């Protein structure tokens, strides 16, 4: 680090120039990112996708559908609008409600616009449909593609809202920490540049990867909070050194000390992000990709751009002084003395508080969000709710079964196989009804089918019906379940049936199958992800601090703190408190919050323990080093945590529910970590274990 630090201070101006060029180039691409975001990221490339694609290709079943809702419109008005919509080439078929009883009710009617699986970008198509509809308040559209586009729009608005709330408050925290305008603006400047460049890189990768709309919130949330935290730590250490040394030497010392902490902290965060990659769900892949990029950039800018700017500014970093920072060492000294005097009492009190917060976890209910992710104020959400209320479009749970038979389905044996599968499904208590070639023709046996189809006066009368369900070696039918697609019963049904022996190769699809695949993928891989995070974090901290106990304690306390966080999330979102209606926890929240916060919270562990270790290696006793480390870092940890809480907590005021839950979850976890854990439990355990804190097998000396 010594040679690197000297290089940065020597070539400060060229470094700044390079970053300016990179910023301009990547900012150009960052602007294009929203147009490249599609879907909510709840996607697994598994059986559901393959079966859906085959149904679309073979039987022309729609891969996606957009609903057009009409209210108090005449047949002539409906027909005129649908005629205009036929001019949109991407629409594969239109189902009109005119003359169709089940598409009309109490002044409401709806049409279906179907699309095949070749369409990947629905946003321009939706814009075109809305242009055709115009300002008619009696006509509106909804459906998965429309809701996805509106969530994209809502996410952009949420980001602006969160930044408008979080950045000014973060600036106030920085002013209270530094006392000068220039020093306070510097972390926000570097953080903003880091986020924009990261978004630009993500946009460049958008042509290679499918990107979730939530990337637009997660990357800025994580990048801005971490960048400002890193800058706060770096500037604080620089100003300490500047009281005793030159600008260049102080910057070099800050790179070698604070820079080391930043690198280890970022490694812990990137481990948490990287562990999500093994969960083959698109949103985890996206967050891992975008998060790793922004964290990596945050480290690079903190160790190159920030110190280069400080070298260029010199003592002008203290320009715009609003007030002088009052020393707080005596206050933290008293607090540290209390901790050292009553470590057992403090540990007991802290653990009682954390365990109480964990209690609601027993009631946690995890679901995959759909329309409820979108704020109720959006027209597509209101339209969907109206369609569900009037026509029950969300109440049905169809499960598609696509089978392949190497012999003819149109033979007697083939028809008997179809009828046998149909009857097995109907025998299942969860199946309400089945749609097949037999039920469509209102025929209840193979014998009746063949007798009817072989009538001399109308031979082959049922062939047209059969063609709707049989093509070459493929056949499909639909089972409708009397359970919600998100229910454990529906998931158990498809899980059991995919293992059934029907005498033919088959696959399943439908919302219940989709949900089951998401749940099972997470359940199957989360254990591996946790092992990766825990093991890697342990090794990194062991190397950083040359200790067994310190990383072990850090991991255990992190797990306890995160357990408390999840309990509080259940209390807020599931029980319905603080103005939030009763609901559920989005399935991905525990995984994302654990993976992100486990790394983020290590920031404060590294900041604190690094300073304690520094004092210990200088010759201080374990207790003296703990007190000095706590006193010297408590203010900066508190300020850093406040900024993290403000930046992520600002998303509490946003409207997209998964983003709101992620923001609040991270804010709560950081608050618990920076107060109860880092300021109470860590120093208390440091006191209790004494020199054993620094024990490592085969280490020759503790100093």
């Amino acid at each position: 680090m010594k040679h690197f630090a000297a290089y940065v201070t020597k070539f400060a101006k060229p470094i700044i120039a390079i970053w300016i060029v990179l910023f301009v180039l990547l900012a150009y691409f960052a602007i294009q990112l929203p147009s490249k975001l599609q879907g909510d990221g709840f996607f697994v490339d598994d059986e559901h996708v393959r079966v859906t694609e085959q149904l679309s290709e073979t039987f022309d079943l729609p891969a996606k559908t957009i609903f057009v809702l009409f209210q108090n419109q005449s047949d002539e008005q409906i027909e005129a609008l649908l005629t205009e919509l036929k001019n949109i080439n991407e629409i594969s078929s239109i189902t009109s409600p005119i003359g169709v009883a089940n598409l009309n009710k109490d002044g409401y009617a709806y049409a279906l616009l179907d699309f095949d699986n070749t369409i990947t970008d629905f946003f321009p198509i939706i814009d075109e449909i809305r242009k055709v509809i115009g300002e008619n308040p009696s006509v509106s559209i909804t459906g998965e593609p429309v809701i996805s586009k509106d969530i994209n729009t809502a996410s952009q608005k949420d980001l602006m809202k969160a930044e408008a709330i979080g950045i000014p408050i973060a600036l106030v925290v920085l002013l209270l920490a530094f006392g000068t305008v220039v020093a306070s603006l510097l972390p926000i400047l570097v953080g903003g540049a880091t986020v924009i460049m990261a978004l630009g890189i993500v946009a460049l990768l958008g042509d290679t990867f499918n990107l979730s709309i939530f990337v637009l919130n997660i990357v800025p949330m994580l990048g801005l909070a971490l960048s400002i935290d890193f800058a706060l730590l770096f500037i604080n250490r620089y100003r300490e050194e500047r009281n005793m040394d030159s600008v260049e030497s102080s910057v070099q010392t800050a790179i070698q000390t604070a820079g080391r902490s930043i690198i280890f902290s970022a490694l812990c965060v990137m481990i948490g992000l990287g562990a999500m990659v093994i969960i083959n769900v698109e949103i985890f892949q996206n967050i891992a990709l975008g998060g790793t990029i922004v964290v990596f950039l945050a480290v690079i800018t903190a160790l190159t751009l920030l110190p280069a700017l400080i070298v260029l500014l010199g003592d002008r970093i203290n320009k715009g002084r609003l007030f002088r920072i009052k020393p707080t060492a005596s206050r933290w000294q008293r607090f540290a003395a209390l901790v050292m005097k009553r470590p057992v009492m403090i540990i007991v009190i802290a653990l009682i508080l954390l365990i109480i917060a964990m209690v609601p976890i027993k009631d946690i209910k995890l679901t995959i969000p759909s329309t409820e992710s979108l704020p109720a104020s959006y027209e597509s959400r209101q339209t969907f709710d109206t369609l569900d209320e009037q026509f029950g479009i969300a109440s049905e749970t169809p499960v598609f079964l696509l089978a392949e038979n190497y012999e003819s389905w149109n033979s007697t044996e083939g028809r008997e196989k179809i009828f046998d599968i149909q009857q097995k499904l109907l025998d299942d208590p969860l199946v309400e009804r089945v749609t097949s070639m037999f039920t469509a023709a209102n025929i209840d046996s193979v014998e009746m089918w063949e007798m009817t189809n072989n009538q001399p006066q109308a031979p082959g009368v049922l062939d047209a019906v059969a063609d709707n369900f049989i093509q070459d070696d493929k056949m499909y039918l639909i089972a409708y379940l009397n359970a919600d697609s998100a229910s454990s019963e529906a998931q158990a049904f498809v899980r059991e049936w995919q293992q059934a022996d029907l005498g033919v190769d088959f696959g399943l699809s439908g919302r219940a199958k989709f949900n089951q695949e998401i749940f099972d993928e997470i359940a199957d891989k989360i254990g591996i992800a946790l092992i990766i995070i825990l093991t890697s974090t342990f090794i990194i901290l062991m190397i950083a601090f040359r200790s067994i106990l310190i990383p072990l304690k850090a991991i255990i306390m992190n797990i306890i703190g995160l357990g408390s966080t999840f309990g509080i999330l259940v209390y807020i979102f599931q029980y319905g408190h603080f103005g939030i209606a009763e609901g559920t926890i989005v399935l991905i929240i525990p995984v994302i919050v654990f993976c992100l916060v486990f790394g983020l919270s290590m920031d404060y562990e590294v900041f604190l323990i690094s300073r304690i270790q520094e004092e210990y290696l200088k010759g201080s006793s374990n207790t003296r080093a703990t007190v000095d480390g706590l006193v010297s870092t408590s203010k900066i940890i508190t300020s850093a945590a406040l900024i993290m809480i403000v930046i992520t907590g600002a998303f509490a005021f946003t409207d997209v529910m998964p983003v709101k839950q992620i923001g609040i979850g991270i804010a709560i976890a950081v608050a618990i970590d920076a107060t109860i854990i880092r300021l109470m439990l860590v120093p208390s355990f440091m006191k209790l274990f004494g020199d054993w804190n620094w024990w490592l097998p085969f280490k020759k000396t503790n100093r």
Side-chain angles (χ1 to χ4, degrees):
M1 289 291 283
K2 187 176 181 180
H3 294 297
F4 174 77
Y7 180 88
V8 171
T9 54
K10 182 179 180 180
F11 298 101
K13 288 183 179 179
I15 287 172
I16 294 171
I18 291 170
W19 278 114
I20 290 173
V21 172
L22 282 173
F23 174 80
V24 172
L25 288 173
L26 292 173
Y28 169 77
F29 294 105
I31 296 170
Q32 303 171 29
L33 179 60
S35 64
K36 298 185 177 184
L37 304 178
Q38 294 277 348
D40 57 13
F42 288 91
F43 175 82
V44 176
D45 189 7
D46 207 343
E47 187 175 302
H48 164 76
V49 172
R50 292 193 293 272
V51 171
T52 300
E53 289 177 350
Q54 289 179 36
L55 287 170
S56 177
E57 292 171 0
T58 307
F59 297 97
D60 292 327
L61 295 186
K64 299 283 185 183
T65 298
I66 290 178
F67 300 87
V68 184
L69 178 64
F70 302 93
Q71 185 175 1
N72 298 321
Q73 296 284 287
S74 66
D75 288 353
E76 291 77 13
Q77 290 172 311
I78 293 173
E79 183 62 37
L81 180 60
L82 295 182
T83 300
E84 285 190 68
L85 290 174
K86 287 177 182 177
N87 295 323
I88 300 176
N89 296 328
E90 291 83 357
I91 299 175
S92 60
S93 66
I94 297 177
T95 302
S96 171
I98 298 173
V100 182
N102 63 342
L103 301 183
N104 290 267
K105 183 181 179 183
D106 299 334
Y108 291 98
Y110 72 94
L112 296 91
L113 312 180
D114 294 332
F115 300 84
D116 59 37
N117 62 354
T118 62
I119 306 299
T120 56
D121 186 2
F122 279 90
F123 288 7
I125 300 170
I126 293 167
D127 289 336
E128 196 171 352
I129 293 171
R130 283 175 166 161
K131 186 177 180 181
V132 171
I133 293 173
E135 300 297 324
N136 189 342
S138 298
V139 183
S140 56
I141 60 173
T142 191
E144 183 187 331
V146 185
I147 289 170
S148 177
K149 177 174 170 52
D150 286 349
I151 290 178
N152 185 303
T153 302
S155 296
Q156 294 179 55
K157 291 181 179 178
D158 281 354
L159 179 60
M160 291 186 287
K161 185 191 294 184
E163 288 178 343
I165 296 170
I167 291 178
I169 300 176
L171 180 58
V172 171
V173 175
L174 289 167
L175 284 169
L176 293 173
F178 294 140
T180 66
V181 173
V182 174
S184 302
L185 286 174
L186 205 53
I188 291 177
L189 174 68
V190 173
T194 300
V195 168
I196 290 172
M197 288 188 287
L199 292 175
I201 295 173
V202 172
L204 286 171
L205 296 173
D207 295 327
T208 306
F209 300 94
N210 293 324
L211 296 177
S212 162
I213 51 185
F214 296 126
V215 167
L216 197 60
N217 297 110
I218 301 299
V219 170
M221 181 196 299
L222 181 61
L224 196 58
L226 264 181
S227 293
I228 293 176
D229 264 13
F230 290 164
L232 179 65
L233 172 69
F234 190 94
I235 293 172
N236 182 72
R237 187 57 187 260
Y238 161 76
R239 294 177 88 181
E240 285 183 18
E241 298 298 327
R242 184 68 184 94
N243 292 327
M244 302 173 288
D245 216 332
S246 66
V247 171
E248 288 77 9
S249 296
S250 299
V251 169
Q252 290 177 19
T253 302
I255 291 174
Q256 294 172 61
T257 54
R260 179 176 178 271
S261 297
I262 288 169
I263 290 171
F264 278 110
S265 298
L267 277 174
C268 291
V269 177
M270 285 192 279
I271 286 169
L273 289 164
M276 282 193 279
V277 172
I278 68 167
I279 304 176
N280 190 28
V281 179
E282 195 171 88
I283 190 167
F284 295 128
Q285 311 281 321
N286 285 180
I287 292 174
L289 175 68
T292 302
I293 289 170
V294 78
V295 172
F296 179 77
L297 276 179
V299 174
I300 301 301
T301 55
L303 297 183
T304 57
L305 177 59
L306 178 61
L309 287 170
I310 293 174
V311 169
L312 194 65
L313 287 169
D315 289 333
R316 285 173 293 182
I317 196 174
N318 296 317
K319 286 285 185 183
R321 183 172 295 280
L322 300 181
F323 51 84
R324 296 206 169 270
I325 304 298
K326 294 181 180 180
T328 59
S330 59
R331 187 179 355 172
W332 288 112
Q333 193 84 35
R334 290 193 296 272
F335 175 78
L338 174 64
V339 173
M340 295 298 102
K341 188 177 180 181
R342 300 278 190 272
V344 175
M345 181 188 72
I346 288 175
I347 289 170
V348 170
I349 292 171
L351 289 178
I352 288 173
L353 291 173
L354 293 173
I355 291 169
I356 290 172
M358 286 184 197
V359 172
I361 294 179
K362 62 183 175 59
D363 299 322
I364 193 168
K365 183 179 180 182
L366 303 174
T367 58
I368 297 174
S370 52
T371 56
E372 61 268 20
S373 293
L374 187 65
S377 58
Y378 278 75
E379 183 182 74
S380 58
R381 167 73 183 273
Q382 296 169 359
T383 303
F384 185 89
D385 290 344
T386 300
L387 281 168
D388 190 33
E389 181 182 340
Q390 296 294 329
F391 300 97
I393 64 168
S395 61
E396 289 191 326
T397 302
V399 175
F400 295 82
L401 187 151
L402 177 66
E404 292 186 29
N405 191 2
Y406 297 107
E407 299 177 4
S408 174
W409 287 111
N410 282 312
S411 66
T412 300
E413 293 78 8
R415 295 187 188 105
E416 286 176 347
K417 178 63 69 177
I418 295 171
F419 192 78
D420 179 59
I421 295 172
Q422 173 187 300
Q423 293 309 113
K424 285 181 178 178
L425 284 167
L426 288 170
D427 289 341
D428 192 300
L430 207 66
V431 176
E432 189 174 306
R433 70 182 194 279
V434 172
T435 296
S436 70
M437 55 187 260
F438 290 100
T439 60
N442 198 26
I443 288 178
D444 57 10
S445 70
V446 176
E447 293 77 11
M448 184 179 290
W449 177 283
E450 294 186 341
M451 186 168 51
T452 303
N453 210 33
N454 292 328
Q455 288 180 356
Q457 63 271 30
V461 68
L462 296 179
D463 288 348
V465 176
D467 287 345
N468 290 326
F469 295 89
I470 297 172
Q471 289 293 325
D472 299 326
D473 62 340
K474 293 183 175 63
M475 176 280 300
Y476 85 94
L477 46 75
I478 310 171
Y480 292 87
L481 310 185
N482 53 16
D484 186 86
S485 61
S487 67
S488 57
E489 293 83 3
Q491 292 178 43
F493 172 87
V494 293
R495 197 177 289 118
E496 179 183 340
W497 267 86
Q498 72 182 6
Q499 302 298 328
D501 182 9
L502 301 181
V504 292
D505 294 331
F506 70 97
L508 304 175
S509 71
R511 188 73 187 180
K513 177 62 177 170
F514 165 81
N515 289 338
Q516 172 259 316
E517 289 175 349
I518 296 281
F519 270 88
D520 286 1
E521 176 64 20
I522 294 174
D524 291 344
K525 302 288 180 61
I526 188 62
I528 301 172
L530 293 181
I531 290 171
I532 291 172
I533 293 172
L534 299 180
T535 304
S536 302
T537 301
F538 180 87
I539 292 170
I540 286 175
L541 293 182
M542 184 181 68
I543 293 171
F545 300 121
R546 296 176 59 77
S547 165
I548 294 290
L549 277 177
I550 286 175
L552 189 61
K553 288 185 297 179
I555 288 170
I556 293 171
M557 285 186 283
N558 261 16
I559 292 172
I560 293 172
L562 284 164
S564 302
T565 299
F566 298 144
I568 295 171
L569 281 177
V570 171
Y571 179 81
I572 294 172
F573 289 98
Q574 202 168 306
Y575 294 174
H577 289 93
F578 305 109
I580 293 177
E582 290 185 24
T584 56
I585 304 297
V586 178
L587 174 64
I588 61 170
I589 300 303
V591 180
I592 292 175
V593 171
F594 186 95
C595 292
L596 286 180
V597 174
F598 199 90
L600 288 173
S601 60
M602 286 301 173
D603 275 357
Y604 310 121
E605 178 79 12
V606 172
F607 294 170
L608 175 59
I609 300 298
S610 291
R611 201 56 181 268
I612 294 174
Q613 184 188 41
E614 196 175 321
E615 298 301 322
Y616 185 75
L617 292 175
K618 287 178 182 178
S620 297
S621 67
N622 176 77
T623 300
R624 184 73 258 167
T626 301
V627 170
D628 291 345
L630 187 63
V631 170
S632 61
T633 61
S634 292
K635 180 184 175 182
I636 204 68
I637 286 177
T638 304
S639 299
L642 274 174
I643 288 170
M644 184 75 72
I645 292 166
V646 164
I647 296 295
T648 58
F651 285 84
F653 301 97
T654 59
D655 296 320
V656 178
M657 188 54 69
V659 176
K660 184 192 289 280
Q661 290 185 359
I662 290 171
I664 292 177
I666 293 174
I668 292 170
V670 170
I672 290 173
D673 186 84
T675 53
I676 296 177
I677 292 178
R678 228 45 72 190
L679 298 182
M680 296 173 68
L681 286 178
V682 170
S684 295
F685 279 117
M686 291 294 292
K687 167 67 176 177
L688 285 181
F689 285 105
D691 287 335
W692 282 102
N693 286 299
W694 311 104
W695 177 78
L696 182 70
F698 312 114
K699 187 167 68 173
K700 291 182 180 179
T701 176
N702 286 336
R703 301 283 173 146

